[in-house]
Amino acid sequence: MENQPHILVVDDDREIRELLARFLEKQGMRVSAARDAREARRLWPLGRYHLVVLDIMMPGESGLDFARWLRGQSNVPIVMLTAMGEETDRIVGLELGADDYVPKPFNPRELLARVRAILRRANGEGPTVETDQRPIRFSGWILEPSRRRLLSTDGTEVSLTGGEYELLLALLERPNRVLTRDMLMDLLRGRQAGPFDRAIDVAVSRLRRKLEDDGRNPNLIKTVRGGGYVLATTVERS
């Protein structure tokens, strides 16, 4: 039981909760389910969760409000369930630190694929696995792959979500090289970006804030018009 990923499913739709619980348990995972944010808050301290599947549209406290609270407690990966076409809520959720989203109605197997990919990354088994564990230095910052942590120019540890860490590592592994949104999406999530998918843009914006990189005039992660992003700095290992 201890080796099984423990998933917290938060959704006010009983059929969806029961469907996901049965399906994920058949895939070798443990599942706890909550019908709303209030119940999820009660369950949170009772288990060590590896990932949260969170519906945005819930009565009372919304999924976005709960995600905001959750980010104050933990960097646990979050997969949002969003209504089809609700791009604004989706973007806000990503800005709050969600790792991915699946629009409703969804295929459970697609959700499973996203969950497995995120869990692999969280365990250091993703597509950007870092074999060289030496610290990476750039513009006064230090990323320590062995501890998956970022140190600022004054030595303060800066908290990163799993997605932010993977994005930074992908950029550091390819400095001064233009990476398109599709390339980054494939590296981080194993899928191509859709025509209206702003997940990468939101993730870059979050990472810039963590790196104190002015989004209006960035010096570290520069935007290439019509192309993507480039990490414009020297990268060294020590």
Side-chain angles (χ1 to χ4, degrees), residues 29 65 130 151 157 192 195 204 207 229 238:
M29 302 179 188
D65 289 332
E130 178 59 46
L151 300 177
E157 182 173 353
Q192 288 191 327
V204 169
L207 186 56
Y229 297 98
S238 61

Side-chain angles (χ1 to χ4, degrees), residues 44-136:
W44 178 251
L46 302 181
R48 179 179 178 273
Y49 300 101
H50 297 86
L51 184 141
V52 177
V53 177
L54 176 63
D55 183 27
I56 284 184
M57 300 296 292
M58 294 188 296
E61 183 180 356
S62 73
L64 293 177
D65 289 332
F66 180 70
R68 185 178 292 106
W69 175 84
L70 192 57
R71 273 294 163 259
Q73 312 298 313
S74 168
N75 280 328
V76 64
I78 301 173
V79 177
M80 301 181 303
L81 301 180
T82 69
M84 186 69 73
E86 293 295 331
E87 184 178 8
T88 300
D89 285 346
R90 190 176 302 159
I91 291 172
V92 172
L94 291 170
E95 288 176 341
L96 289 173
D99 293 77
D100 207 345
Y101 64 86
V102 177
K104 291 182 175 181
F106 60 88
N107 184 321
R109 293 193 176 278
E110 178 186 2
L111 176 62
L112 175 65
R114 304 282 182 88
V115 166
R116 282 177 168 167
I118 292 171
L119 290 175
R120 283 197 299 269
R121 292 201 304 269
N123 291 328
E125 302 169 7
T128 57
V129 172
E130 178 59 46
T131 55
D132 189 339
Q133 298 295 302
R134 290 178 298 167
I136 305 172

Side-chain angles (χ1 to χ4, degrees), residues 213-231:
D213 195 23
D214 184 358
R216 295 184 178 181
N217 186 29
N219 293 314
L220 277 177
I221 306 176
K222 294 184 177 291
T223 302
V224 179
R225 188 177 298 277
Y229 297 98
V230 58
L231 183 73

Side-chain angles (χ1 to χ4, degrees), residues 9-20 34-36 55 57-59 104:
V9 175
V10 188
D11 197 304
D12 63 304
D13 189 317
R14 183 166 61 95
E15 291 186 3
I16 290 179
R17 291 198 309 273
E18 293 177 351
L19 167 68
L20 289 179
R35 62 179 178 274
D36 56 24
D55 183 27
M57 300 296 292
M58 294 188 296
K104 291 182 175 181

Side-chain angles (χ1 to χ4, degrees), residues 151-196:
L151 300 177
S152 70
T153 53
D154 64 3
T156 303
E157 182 173 353
V158 177
S159 176
L160 295 177
T161 66
E164 290 164 353
Y165 171 83
E166 291 294 337
L167 173 60
L168 178 57
L169 183 58
L171 291 167
L172 289 172
E173 289 178 330
R174 303 161 183 83
N176 301 299
R177 171 182 167 188
V178 176
L179 300 177
T180 67
R181 291 171 178 81
D182 276 341
M183 291 169 64
L184 286 169
M185 185 69 85
D186 186 57
L187 283 168
L188 302 179
R189 291 178 167 84
R191 61 183 173 91
Q192 288 191 327
F196 305 107

